[in-house]
Amino acid sequence: MFQDFTTRSTRTHGPGRLAALRKVIASEGLTGFLIPRADVHQGEYVAECDARLGWLTGFTGSAGFCLVLPDTAGVFIDGRYRVQVKSEVDLTAFTPVPWPEVKAGPWLLEHLPAGGRIGFDPWLHTRKEVEDLRRALDGSAIALVETANLIDAIWTDRPAPPSAPARVHPLEFAGEPSAEKRQRLGAALMKQGAAAAVLTLPDSIAWLLNIRGADIARNPVMQAFAVLQANGDLTLFAEAAKLSDALRAHLGNAVTLRPVAAFDAALRGLKGPVLVDPASAPHQVGREIEDAGTPVLWAEDPCIAPKARKTPAEVAGMQAAHLRDGAAMVEFLAWLDAEAPKGALTEIDVVTQLEQHRRATGQLLDISFDTICGAGPNGAIVHYRVTEATNRKVTPGELLLIDSGAQYPDGTTDITRTLAVGPVPEGAAEAFTRVLQGMIAISRARFPRGLAGRDLDALARVALWSAGMDYDHGTGHGVGAALCVHEGPARISRISDVPLAPGMILSNEPGHYREGQWGIRIENLILVAEAPKIGDGRDHLCFETLTWVPIDRRLIVVEMLSRGERDWLDAYHAGVLDRIGPLVSPAARAWLSAACAPL
């Protein structure tokens, strides 16, 4: 199994570790210390050795931070984790803070009105984060102080860094040789007036070099740094044990290999101007370059935008991966529909069976994130991860929410289905139908080129808003091609101002959650595409669906759907049957035919 069900942290350690940290904070002449979720690469998912926030607090979510002061310790979490945090941290020691509604600056001003010194590790925060916080504290008596990492000073049994070998990502799936990417991006650097660019995001490096790794579970990346020169040459800072002879041959003579330990000195020796991303590079990277007297050009990582716009080969790989994954999902759902009503299954049984069906494809490299399988009230925990301690029976009369995905050689998948197990709970069908209406609205959207995710986000919420409902997460995130399941820069969210462009792949996943009862989410992946010309021929974009798995018709109040919504769902299910039917067993095909019947 890729997924395990152990409890990765425990709330019982929190108070003791917090007391030890406060002693170190005081000994350093500080008033407080800032602990982020991120590592030096600013990844959403971190290696065990970098899980400082979880080690201290017990909180295991993928986003957040903790501010430790002498008399309080705030754990800042967004809407996805409001329920989860209460079960993971010791509430006598830590106080959950709703973020970003409450930001770090105002919170510090409230809790330190007389001033203080807040330490932070400049390798774990971006330039933008530090500048934003300093602006928020401007005029106060609170100072931000760069310091060594104080968590590391008390984490005596910290795990070793990851050292998994990297591999070549075949050109047939990448669609463009690494040398051509480097030449293209190098030419763009020259136009920007930069002599070089520092790359700190592992997925940017993986995309640029057409390599993949296994340093971070669920994310096929190698932890490394790189410097791209304007002539297309590149220096890769990675541990030698990760680089096989085959991979070295793939990289070629234009890529110089150096150990990570040489990165700091290399930054000080760069000729400028040097492009550094203020939103993703560690604050210390810019500091090293500037302290050496070299000018810095603060601009976006040059890999981010082209990586988001998939090549035709990447799109084809994602389409093939979704057909393969759709067949595995249908085999699984047919099994689940037969077994769940018996009342003997647990959440762990469901997760295990789903992974077995994906393994049966013969091409599963990993799951793309830990499967979220929430029965009844656990479904209301947006990023719930079942453990042996929380494992719950799948009980008839409840909803079952399953959010899962896979990493295949040619693509990455992410799909959520909410299922009825026996009788439908009161109010669930109406809520499900409103969520479905939002998912359909995004799927059918046609919009002018230049619009961003924030311009479309409301389409997914209107049906919920009309009934006084909503959900506290974005509607969609970017997805990598055989890369990270969460990828920037585009997303469907109230705060996303990145214009959508052809080739981008996003999730479409509205939801609704009732704490203590159930959770509902429906998710497909969608591809941004050129829309056919109609009307006066304006330049419009649209979405093409990548995910082909039936949606539970038992939870739909058909009378609530418009004719257009019904037609879309019937056409979608006809497409599922046409594409997936030939790929599954006779028994699963019979189940699929019934599941895809017209409304």
Side-chain angles (χ1 to χ4, degrees):
M1 287 284 296
F2 286 114
Q3 186 156 338
D4 69 82
F5 306 102
T6 58
T7 301
R8 293 177 181 167
S9 65
T10 174
R11 61 195 297 165
T12 59
H13 294 315
R17 292 170 178 175
L18 182 60
L21 177 60
R22 282 181 168 140
K23 287 182 180 179
V24 177
I25 291 171
S27 71
E28 294 290 325
L30 300 170
T31 313
F33 189 67
L34 178 58
I35 304 99
R37 157 71 176 180
D39 60 11
V40 297
H41 303 285
Q42 293 299 309
E44 178 181 3
Y45 298 97
V46 298
E48 289 186 14
C49 64
D50 295 315
R52 297 176 179 89
L53 181 64
W55 180 86
L56 176 68
T57 68
F59 172 63
T60 62
S62 63
F65 58 93
C66 181
L67 265 167
V68 174
L69 303 181
D71 299 316
T72 188
V75 180
F76 291 69
I77 37 83
D78 64 34
R80 295 170 294 175
Y81 299 113
R82 304 280 158 82
V83 178
Q84 178 178 328
V85 71
K86 291 185 286 187
S87 67
E88 289 190 331
V89 309
D90 186 326
L91 298 177
T92 67
F94 300 96
T95 302
V97 180
W99 168 73
E101 296 91 334
V102 178
K103 292 182 170 60
W107 187 86
L108 283 170
L109 292 173
E110 177 185 348
H111 288 83
L112 291 175
R117 290 163 51 83
I118 306 299
F120 73 96
D121 181 346
W123 280 103
L124 300 186
H125 300 273
T126 67
R127 176 84 164 210
K128 183 179 185 304
E129 284 181 287
V130 175
E131 288 185 344
D132 286 350
L133 185 51
R134 282 192 168 136
R135 274 194 296 269
L137 299 175
D138 190 36
S140 74
I142 301 173
L144 292 181
V145 181
E146 298 176 19
T147 182
N149 198 290
L150 303 188
I151 293 289
D152 296 355
I154 60 173
W155 192 356
T156 56
D157 59 347
R158 186 179 170 204
S163 57
R167 57 184 169 86
V168 177
H169 185 57
L171 181 59
E172 64 179 298
F173 299 143
E176 183 181 11
S178 172
E180 292 184 10
K181 292 181 183 179
R182 287 184 275 114
Q183 289 292 333
R184 178 160 57 94
L185 267 59
L189 288 178
M190 196 172 295
K191 286 184 179 179
Q192 288 179 270
V198 178
L199 306 178
T200 62
L201 295 174
D203 63 329
S204 287
I205 296 169
W207 172 84
L208 181 60
L209 296 178
N210 288 344
I211 63 175
R212 297 295 186 264
D215 280 342
I216 303 296
R218 321 300 177 235
N219 295 269
V221 296
M222 175 180 69
Q223 289 190 321
F225 298 105
V227 175
L228 174 66
Q229 302 291 337
N231 67 357
D233 289 350
L234 181 139
T235 303
L236 177 65
F237 298 87
E239 301 308 334
K242 300 178 183 181
L243 309 173
S244 66
D245 290 343
L247 191 133
R248 291 168 186 263
H250 161 76
L251 294 174
N253 295 331
V255 175
T256 301
L257 303 177
R258 301 188 67 187
V260 173
F263 183 55
D264 291 17
L267 292 174
R268 294 189 290 271
L270 291 175
K271 305 298 182 184
V274 180
L275 186 150
V276 179
D277 189 343
S280 66
H283 179 70
Q284 187 65 23
V285 167
R287 172 61 60 86
E288 297 279 3
I289 299 170
E290 289 176 328
D291 285 353
T294 303
V296 172
L297 172 62
W298 296 102
E300 184 178 75
D301 174 336
C303 299
I304 287 179
K307 172 166 57 67
R309 298 187 63 167
K310 276 55 178 180
T311 65
E314 288 174 322
V315 171
M318 290 290 277
Q319 290 169 332
H322 278 81
L323 292 179
R324 183 185 312 118
D325 200 62
M329 281 293 301
V330 166
E331 295 282 0
F332 160 74
L333 290 174
W335 168 85
L336 183 65
D337 223 22
E339 296 298 322
K342 298 176 184 177
L345 295 179
T346 67
E347 293 167 336
I348 289 178
D349 294 331
V350 174
V351 173
T352 301
Q353 186 72 23
L354 176 53
E355 186 170 316
Q356 288 175 356
H357 282 290
R358 286 191 164 119
R359 283 183 177 276
T361 66
Q363 297 197 53
L364 182 68
L365 299 177
D366 198 348
I367 50 178
S368 56
F369 54 95
D370 282 347
T371 296
I372 299 165
C373 178
N378 285 346
I381 304 172
V382 178
H383 277 194
Y384 171 69
R385 171 185 171 269
V386 58
T387 68
E388 292 165 354
T390 66
N391 189 26
R392 195 173 188 279
K393 277 207 166 187
V394 179
T395 305
E398 294 183 340
L399 299 186
L400 179 64
L401 186 154
I402 306 172
D403 186 349
S404 69
Q407 294 285 7
Y408 298 108
D410 50 359
T412 303
T413 69
D414 183 2
I415 174 176
T416 308
R417 290 295 182 264
T418 303
L419 309 165
V421 181
V424 177
E426 183 179 356
E430 177 190 348
F432 181 93
T433 305
R434 293 184 185 279
V435 171
L436 175 61
Q437 287 176 302
M439 196 274 279
I440 293 174
I442 294 293
S443 302
R444 297 174 65 195
R446 179 188 176 99
F447 51 95
R449 187 187 298 269
L451 292 193
R454 69 183 179 192
D455 302 311
L456 302 180
D457 182 78
L459 297 178
R461 302 177 189 266
V462 168
L464 288 163
W465 286 347
S466 67
M469 303 175 182
D470 205 350
Y471 50 96
D472 295 322
H473 56 76
T475 298
H477 55 82
V479 180
L483 254 178
C484 300
V485 74
H486 289 172
E487 177 182 89
R491 51 183 167 159
I492 303 174
S493 163
R494 298 171 187 174
I495 61 174
S496 178
D497 59 0
V498 177
L500 300 181
M504 290 179 172
I505 293 176
L506 304 159
S507 68
N508 172 13
E509 50 179 312
H512 184 62
Y513 311 89
R514 293 191 182 174
E515 186 174 351
Q517 298 183 52
W518 38 256
I520 295 168
R521 189 162 63 251
I522 309 170
E523 176 188 18
N524 283 350
L525 295 194
I526 50 179
L527 169 71
V528 182
E530 307 271 358
K533 292 287 190 289
I534 58 174
D536 58 4
R538 291 177 183 264
D539 187 13
H540 281 194
L541 302 176
C542 63
F543 294 120
E544 294 180 3
T545 296
L546 295 176
T547 307
W548 299 100
V549 174
I551 294 165
D552 195 341
R553 293 161 62 255
R554 297 167 297 188
L555 284 166
I556 300 172
V557 182
V558 178
E559 296 76 18
M560 291 175 59
L561 300 181
S562 69
R563 169 54 61 186
E565 290 165 340
R566 279 181 274 176
D567 288 347
W568 183 91
L569 188 60
D570 282 346
Y572 175 73
H573 278 151
V576 172
L577 188 58
D578 179 62
R579 290 168 173 82
I580 305 299
L583 306 178
V584 297
S585 65
R589 191 178 309 119
W591 176 89
L592 183 63
S593 295
C596 291
L599 291 176

